[in-house]
Amino acid sequence: MTPRPHLPVAAHPPSRWTLRTQLLVAVLALFTVVMLATSALTVLETRRYLDSQLGQDLQSALGRAGDRGGVFDDDGDGRVPHGSGPPGAPGSDRVLVLGLAADGSVATDSRGNALNSVTLRDGDGQLDTAQIATVTDGLKGSEAVHIDLGGDLGEYLVTSRTLSGGGQFIVGVSTEPVDRLLSKLLALVVGGTAVGLVLVGAGGALVIRRSLAPLDRVAATARQVSGLQLDSGDVSLAVRVPEADADGRTEVGQVGLALNTMLDDVESALQARQQSEMRVRQFVADASHELRTPLASIRGYAELTRRESEPVPGTVTHAIGRVESEALRMQELVEDLLLLARLDSGRPLEREPVDLSLLAVNAVSDAHAASPDHTWELDLPDEPVEVTGDGARLHQILANLLANARTHTPSGTKVVTRLRPEGRMVRISVSDNGPGIPDSLQAKVFERFTRGDDSRSREKGSTGLGLSIVAAVGQAHGGRVEVESAPGATTFSVLLPA
């Protein structure tokens, strides 16, 4: 098999870098620009100064060569003070002098009559005809020019003067000392810049880390607050940015001070919300408790009328039956509201081993008796499934899920109840092949007083609290609820700690 090519990971754009990275890169970039500008200015100024010194050496060399016998026609009138050329080179029209230094100079004649050589570090070297031609062809009058002779000779700064009789006197000095010095200077600048980058990078990282440490502490406080459970219950935001990091005179301190102010406002709002919720829950609990007695009385009187021996008109009998039916429905609603209020208040549930398999068998049996037109199936593992919890409340979970399936699906619907261990959890699921739940309703199906629309046929009398009780009881046992629904496949699940 041909291996897949490795695709390089795209680097993050600078906009996604951390503030610490952006500051460090900015400091290094600024240092590099300053060092490059300073180094370039230093090298250029040094080169200018050395070129000036080299020109002075060239003029000095030219003067020493004249002292040895060269006569220059500086005014251009064809007359010279004395002589006609350097000694040993009678009748020459050009004299080439290269490598003049403090230890002397060597003159050469372009005709070869004199020594044709140049002063080198390791001794004298012989100039050939091509090199002489390179020198003479590269001249531009009396202007000093750079000429590269190649080989070991390298580059020279060369100039010329007019001799008596119309000839030329050529003199040059090597640029090797200047080039060597500039190379060392450039290497020193590059090395210093590299070392400086390392030192500035390390020091800058340390300084930036220490400078941004207060901001890190502010961020840590914000993360700690974000991890708190703020959606329900009594919330206490005791976490605050330390006073040292909330100094309004600094930029980071202003952020810390603003965060502390925001946390104070949020804590006040949460406390107000909690107090409002507690008042509502207390009202629901009190109202539910108070309604139980009159509702029981209404049902009792309705039942007494049925025992009356005297004949009762049919309309009265029907009305009394409706009163009893609605009283029963109201009593169920009151019991559900009272249970939710108790669960909201955090009232502890019983904790004892519960055989979920037995509960499932009993709940399905009751559902079959209540609606024989549905197809009820039970899928249990071979071994009994046990959890620790409140048996009555866990039975209510199964009863409510089965009642929901019975109420919101037509006759003939198949309803399957399953129990499955999943690691440290146990899954209770009730599935049906009914019409499904609308997508707009699935997100809030476990909320209180949520009822299905006409797409899920249901019998009258549903309070809309059955699934909310399932969710509340499941959460009180440390579990969670889930729902998956599509036309022909709807599954409600409750996961409980095993």
Side-chain angles (χ1 to χ4, degrees):
M1 176 180 289
T2 303
R4 297 180 61 184
H6 175 71
L7 299 178
V9 179
H12 293 303
S15 59
R16 297 180 59 186
W17 291 352
T18 63
L19 179 60
R20 182 179 290 105
T21 302
Q22 293 182 24
L23 289 176
L24 183 59
V25 171
V27 170
L28 292 177
L30 181 61
F31 173 79
T32 302
V33 171
V34 172
M35 285 297 298
L36 289 178
T38 304
S39 300
L41 183 61
T42 301
V43 171
L44 291 176
E45 184 63 22
T46 303
R47 180 60 186 259
R48 187 194 64 80
Y49 174 77
L50 293 178
D51 284 344
S52 175
Q53 292 295 318
L54 194 61
Q56 294 179 9
D57 291 343
L58 183 60
Q59 295 299 325
S60 176
L62 187 62
R64 290 199 301 273
D67 293 342
R68 288 178 175 269
V71 181
F72 304 142
D73 183 13
D74 292 328
D75 55 7
D77 59 359
R79 297 175 296 175
V80 296
H82 58 82
S84 59
S92 61
D93 58 357
R94 285 192 180 93
V95 176
L96 177 61
V97 181
L98 296 176
L100 292 175
D103 57 351
S105 61
V106 178
T108 62
D109 189 339
S110 62
R111 296 178 180 178
N113 297 327
L115 294 176
N116 188 16
S117 61
V118 59
T119 301
L120 303 174
R121 287 177 297 176
D122 299 332
D124 293 340
Q126 191 71 22
L127 294 179
D128 55 25
T129 304
Q131 291 171 328
I132 295 176
T134 299
V135 173
T136 56
D137 293 342
L139 288 173
K140 297 180 180 179
S142 60
E143 180 183 355
V145 295
H146 290 269
I147 298 177
D148 189 2
L149 296 178
D152 295 334
L153 299 180
E155 187 175 296
Y156 277 75
L157 183 64
V158 182
T159 188
S160 65
R161 293 294 177 87
T162 302
L163 290 173
S164 60
Q168 276 187 312
F169 192 85
I170 304 171
V171 65
V173 292
S174 176
T175 62
E176 181 184 1
V178 173
D179 296 336
R180 187 167 59 249
L181 181 58
L182 287 176
S183 297
K184 291 182 178 180
L185 180 61
L186 185 61
L188 181 62
V189 166
V190 172
T193 302
V195 173
L197 280 174
V198 174
L199 295 178
V200 171
L206 179 61
V207 172
I208 291 173
R209 183 182 298 109
R210 295 188 61 182
S211 300
L212 294 182
L215 188 60
D216 292 337
R217 292 191 291 269
V218 171
T221 301
R223 286 193 297 270
Q224 187 175 357
V225 172
S226 65
L228 298 177
Q229 190 72 19
L230 304 179
D231 56 344
S232 63
D234 188 10
V235 178
S236 176
L237 294 180
V239 181
R240 290 294 185 275
V241 176
E243 185 177 354
D245 299 329
D247 188 356
R249 294 172 296 181
T250 64
E251 289 79 3
V252 177
Q254 293 174 7
V255 175
L257 185 61
L259 181 59
N260 282 346
T261 303
M262 182 186 69
L263 291 177
D264 292 338
D265 296 339
V266 171
E267 184 176 26
S268 300
L270 291 176
Q271 290 176 351
R273 184 210 65 185
Q274 176 66 10
Q275 293 174 0
S276 177
E277 288 183 359
M278 292 302 298
R279 286 194 295 268
V280 172
R281 291 173 181 174
Q282 187 63 40
F283 168 76
V284 171
D286 293 343
S288 301
H289 181 73
E290 295 297 330
L291 285 173
R292 297 173 72 183
T293 300
L295 286 174
S297 300
I298 292 174
R299 288 188 61 192
Y301 283 116
E303 291 177 358
L304 284 176
T305 59
R306 294 178 182 272
R307 301 177 183 178
E308 185 67 34
S309 58
E310 298 295 330
V312 178
T315 56
V316 175
T317 301
H318 175 73
I320 294 299
R322 293 303 303 156
V323 169
E324 184 179 6
S325 174
E326 291 303 316
L328 179 61
R329 179 171 177 269
M330 287 186 63
Q331 189 172 13
E332 292 176 354
L333 175 60
V334 168
E335 293 293 340
D336 289 343
L337 288 175
L338 186 58
L339 173 61
L340 288 173
R342 290 172 177 173
L343 293 175
D344 289 340
S345 64
R347 182 173 298 183
L349 301 175
E350 293 184 7
R351 293 291 178 179
E352 58 183 8
V354 177
D355 188 348
L356 285 181
S357 299
L358 181 59
L359 289 183
V361 171
N362 294 334
V364 172
S365 177
D366 295 341
H368 178 72
S371 179
D373 294 336
H374 284 72
T375 301
W376 304 97
E377 294 184 2
L378 190 59
D379 184 4
L380 300 178
D382 297 334
E383 298 294 331
V385 179
E386 290 189 355
V387 297
T388 301
D390 190 322
R393 299 283 78 83
L394 294 176
H395 181 272
Q396 192 170 11
I397 286 180
L398 285 164
N400 285 5
L401 290 177
L402 293 173
N404 179 75
R406 181 185 72 247
T407 303
H408 296 290
T409 58
S411 298
T413 302
K414 183 174 71 173
V415 182
V416 181
T417 303
R418 292 185 177 88
L419 292 181
R420 287 290 184 272
E422 294 185 0
R424 298 183 178 180
M425 306 292 286
V426 174
R427 179 181 293 271
I428 306 172
S429 64
V430 175
S431 305
D432 65 72
N433 59 353
I437 304 174
D439 294 339
S440 59
L441 193 62
Q442 292 185 26
K444 56 181 181 179
V445 71
F446 291 105
E447 296 180 3
R448 298 172 188 183
F449 298 106
T450 298
R451 294 185 176 90
D453 57 15
D454 295 337
S455 64
R456 286 176 63 90
S457 62
R458 62 180 180 87
E459 300 173 358
K460 295 181 179 179
S462 173
T463 63
L465 294 177
L467 293 179
S468 62
I469 290 177
V470 170
V473 173
Q475 293 172 0
H477 282 81
R480 66 179 188 274
V481 292
E482 297 176 353
V483 61
E484 296 179 359
S485 181
T490 299
T491 301
F492 286 91
S493 300
V494 180
L495 282 89
L496 300 174

